[in-house]
Amino acid sequence: MSSPAQETTSAMNAAPGSVTLNGVTIDDTFAEAFPMKATRVLITAHNETWARNAAVSMTGFATSVIACGCEAGIERMLGADETPDGRPGASVLLFSMSGKELAKQLERRVGQCVLTCPTTAVYAGLDEGEAIALGRNLRFFGDGWQISKMIDGKRYWRVPVMDGEFVAEETTALVKAVGGGNLLLLARDTDAALAGAEAAVEAMRAVRGAIMPFPGGVVRSGSKVGSKYASLMASTNDAFCPALTPLARRSELDDYTRCVMEIVIDGLTEADVSAAMRAGIAAIVARGAAAGVTRISAGNYGGKLGPFHFHLHKLLGGEGAA
């Protein structure tokens, strides 16, 4: 990717200050993100299929804290040489707005989706941070038959179940994190938008410490803060809805943009979110405007939502959040 200084915008509809790389216009704007609490757990199983089954179930209905209680995703699948018990596994990240809610969501999801899944075990995925219960309370499912074992200063619970035993580390760690990084991909049609979003998400999934919690990593119902209806805290991002281009009070789209997809990123650190956004931008630029995604923008609320501001042009230059 060339630097912003090497290419300047030539697109007729580009906003002031935007740059164009390989025909793709990148807005002079920023993604606004906010503080979250997060944890990582490692799920292992007899084979990858059952580790993935447990991880998929555990991270289901976890797209947005607006209504799900947490945001979660599979960070990556793990080889047998990367897990505590030498079996295939999955690394899962969970994010929530408070430590209390995160602990509740973790216990419920592990109890209902991992404990129940054949052959699984669950371990802490972070060593440093505030300890929160992982197997500490789930052990009571053993109805008195559960036993614990200390290994290298860590307590593990062995709970008898019908296929053998469920092993769970007593606690995992909770850390401060960042939620709400985002990219908006503006395309000429649905096919182009989906292909671009899929390529971007694939590149972003290579970044450790970050997840894209929406289905397939992509969300088509991007939102703005607030609504004309007092009971709603968020509503459709009308400035980026193609159907409202001629109707909305303010539209960010031209007549040639017929589809917009958003990718939302949560990360354990600002650097993780920056790296994921940078990878997504690079993937789109590498495909070029001829592939159909002609512009990259980002969602923000004028600095009112959160303290983490990921400026797209600074990311191009290798910088992180402002």
Side-chain angles (χ1 to χ4, degrees), residues 67 78 83 114 118 145 168 192 210 212 228 266 310:
L78 303 171
T83 64
V114 183
W145 297 99
M212 286 61 70
K228 65 183 294 184
D266 297 333
F310 297 91

Side-chain angles (χ1 to χ4, degrees), residues 8-59:
T8 57
T9 183
S10 59
M12 293 180 61
N13 296 305
S18 60
V19 299
T20 299
L21 299 173
N22 202 15
V24 179
T25 297
I26 302 169
D27 286 359
D28 184 14
T29 189
F30 62 94
E32 187 173 357
F34 46 84
M36 298 187 85
K37 299 296 177 60
T39 191
R40 173 193 280 139
V41 296
L42 309 180
I43 300 168
T44 67
H46 185 69
N47 56 42
E48 181 177 310
T49 295
W50 288 106
R52 186 183 297 276
N53 285 341
V56 168
S57 294
M58 181 181 170
T59 57

Side-chain angles (χ1 to χ4, degrees), residues 38-247:
T39 191
R40 173 193 280 139
V41 296
L42 309 180
I43 300 168
T44 67
H46 185 69
N47 56 42
E48 181 177 310
T49 295
W50 288 106
R52 186 183 297 276
N53 285 341
V56 168
S57 294
M58 181 181 170
T59 57
F61 187 59
T63 56
S64 172
V65 291
I66 291 176
C68 302
C70 73
E71 299 176 5
I74 298 173
E75 181 184 21
R76 65 190 182 95
M77 299 305 294
L78 303 171
D81 60 341
E82 299 178 280
T83 64
D85 60 12
R87 303 190 301 169
S91 176
V92 170
L93 296 177
L94 281 84
F95 297 78
S96 194
M97 298 303 291
S98 71
K100 182 178 180 181
E101 181 65 24
L102 183 71
K104 182 176 76 173
Q105 291 289 333
L106 176 65
E107 187 168 298
R108 285 183 174 179
R109 289 168 182 269
V110 172
Q112 297 302 311
C113 305
V114 183
L115 166 62
T116 59
C117 183
T119 77
T120 60
V122 65
Y123 304 95
L126 295 170
D127 293 325
E128 302 294 331
E130 178 186 347
I132 56 174
L134 185 56
R136 178 188 293 159
N137 299 324
L138 295 175
R139 76 180 193 266
F140 294 115
F141 181 74
D143 199 25
W145 297 99
Q146 70 274 14
I147 60 174
S148 69
K149 188 174 183 66
M150 294 291 293
I151 302 175
D152 295 332
K154 298 180 179 179
R155 182 179 298 280
Y156 300 87
W157 286 98
R158 302 170 61 185
V159 181
V161 288
M162 293 192 299
D163 71 350
E165 62 181 17
F166 171 63
V167 175
E169 193 167 337
E170 179 163 83
T171 62
T172 185
L174 175 154
V175 296
K176 294 180 179 178
V178 179
N182 66 83
L183 295 173
L184 293 169
L185 309 182
L186 285 62
R188 64 189 180 208
D189 56 36
T190 302
D191 286 343
L194 286 176
E198 291 168 3
V201 168
E202 182 178 358
M204 297 164 81
R205 282 179 172 157
V207 177
R208 298 186 182 184
I211 59 165
M212 286 61 70
F214 283 93
V218 183
V219 52
R220 61 97 175 261
S221 58
S223 60
K224 65 178 183 295
V225 175
S227 166
K228 65 183 294 184
Y229 304 106
S231 62
L232 296 181
M233 61 184 296
S235 60
T236 191
N237 193 353
D238 41 40
F240 285 91
C241 291
L244 300 179
T245 300
L247 303 173

Side-chain angles (χ1 to χ4, degrees), residues 254-270:
D254 60 29
D255 293 339
Y256 303 100
T257 301
R258 302 308 306 162
C259 188
V260 180
M261 297 293 179
E262 182 175 3
I263 301 173
V264 174
I265 307 103
D266 297 333
L268 292 178
T269 66
E270 293 177 45

